[in-house]
């Protein structure tokens, strides 16, 4: 079944100039990239993204990490990969959560580390199941930023203050 999954290249991945290497590894899946952007991670976005981990002892440090506070690059690269078994294929190439336990040829095994403070710097995020993927994709992207019609969307009239080219 064709499905979509959210991938983030985390601040350590960007800081260590791993973007190209990671994209090359992900291209082994032969999946399509349906959306991509470089974006800042606000406290609100970080908290919402990791809300299921709010009771964990590492939660505060996790938020600081994803916001880029440990790296000079206060940004992440967010992407939607789409295709047959996209979630499983990306998770498999990403490797296990703990980068020290991840298969050494997986992305996390190759490039991740655990800091002396115990933060898992595992360079990428990947959704784990279709429900999580839908929640995360809707959190990180607007419907028009994605090239596929993944989920139902509606037209709304909204007057918002935004920046425009001067
Ligand atoms: P995953 O990112 O593999 O889906 P997760 O959703 O359980 O794993 O956790 C989200 C992130 O939180 C993970 O990428 C790294 C961090 N994390 C998880 N378990 C941790 C632990 N025991 N100690 C420190 N960080 C942890
Ligand atoms: Mg997870």
């Amino acid at each position: 079944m064709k499905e979509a999954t959210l991938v983030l290249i985390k601040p350590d991945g960007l800081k260590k100039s791993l973007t190209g290497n990671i994209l090359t590894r992900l291209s082994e899946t032969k999946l399509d990239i349906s959306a991509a952007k470089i974006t800042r991670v606000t406290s609100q976005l970080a908290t919402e993204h990791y809300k299921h981990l709010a009771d964990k002892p590492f939660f505060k440090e996790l938020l600081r990490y994803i916001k880029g506070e440990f790296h000079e690059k206060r940004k992440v690269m967010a992407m939607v990969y789409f295709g047959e078994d996209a979630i499983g294929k990306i998770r498999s190439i990403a490797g296990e959560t703990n980068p020290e336990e991840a298969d050494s040829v997986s992305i996390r095994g190759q490039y991740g580390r655990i800091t002396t403070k115990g933060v898992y710097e595992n360079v990428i995020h990947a959704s784990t199941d279709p429900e999580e993927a839908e929640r995360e994709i809707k959190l990180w992207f607007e419907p028009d930023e994605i090239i596929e019609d993944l989920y139902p969307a509606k037209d709304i009239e909204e007057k918002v203050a935004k920046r425009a080219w001067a």
Side-chain angles (χ1 to χ4, degrees), residues 10 50 52-53 58 62 91 97 108 118 120 122:
K10 296 178 178 179
Y50 282 130
H52 56 292
L53 299 170
F58 56 81
L62 179 62
R91 279 298 292 196
T97 304
R108 286 168 164 179
Y120 288 12
N122 55 12

Side-chain angles (χ1 to χ4, degrees), residues 7 9 18-28 33 77 79 81 107:
V7 175
I9 300 182
L18 292 172
T19 312
N21 303 43
I22 292 171
L23 292 176
T24 300
R25 292 302 316 276
L26 293 173
S27 72
E28 290 169 24
I33 299 174
M77 184 168 180
M79 292 170 291
Y81 277 78
I107 294 169

Side-chain angles (χ1 to χ4, degrees), residues 52 91 125-126 128 132 136:
H52 56 292
R91 279 298 292 196
H125 167 82
T128 33
E132 186 177 272
E136 293 177 347

Side-chain angles (χ1 to χ4, degrees), residues 15-140:
K15 171 78 194 305
K16 293 175 177 171
S17 293
L18 292 172
T19 312
N21 303 43
I22 292 171
L23 292 176
T24 300
R25 292 302 316 276
L26 293 173
S27 72
E28 290 169 24
T29 62
K30 303 220 165 39
L31 295 165
D32 285 335
I33 299 174
S34 299
K37 64 181 173 186
I38 299 285
T39 188
R40 292 204 193 283
V41 184
T42 61
S43 292
Q44 193 188 0
L45 178 56
T47 308
E48 187 62 27
H49 178 75
Y50 282 130
K51 68 177 180 188
H52 56 292
L53 299 170
D55 59 348
K56 301 285 187 208
F58 56 81
F59 186 62
K60 261 181 118 173
E61 297 294 283
L62 179 62
L63 296 189
R64 293 183 68 200
Y65 164 45
I66 198 69
K67 286 162 66 184
E69 289 185 22
F70 303 138
H71 304 89
E72 284 132 58
K73 311 278 182 186
R74 286 180 177 252
K75 58 189 177 183
V76 301
M77 184 168 180
M79 292 170 291
V80 175
Y81 277 78
F82 179 75
E84 212 59 47
D85 189 26
I87 296 170
K89 282 179 182 161
I90 299 273
R91 279 298 292 196
S92 157
I93 211 161
E96 287 193 31
T97 304
N98 179 335
E100 302 297 338
E101 284 173 7
D103 191 318
S104 56
V105 297
S106 67
I107 294 169
R108 286 168 164 179
Q110 262 188 308
Y111 303 122
R113 66 165 192 156
I114 302 180
T115 69
T116 47
K117 284 171 91 185
V119 176
Y120 288 12
E121 291 188 354
N122 55 12
V123 301
I124 71 165
H125 167 82
S127 312
T128 33
D129 58 58
E131 291 71 36
E132 186 177 272
E134 178 171 351
R135 186 185 85 80
E136 293 177 347
I137 289 168
K138 289 177 173 175
L139 181 64
W140 287 83

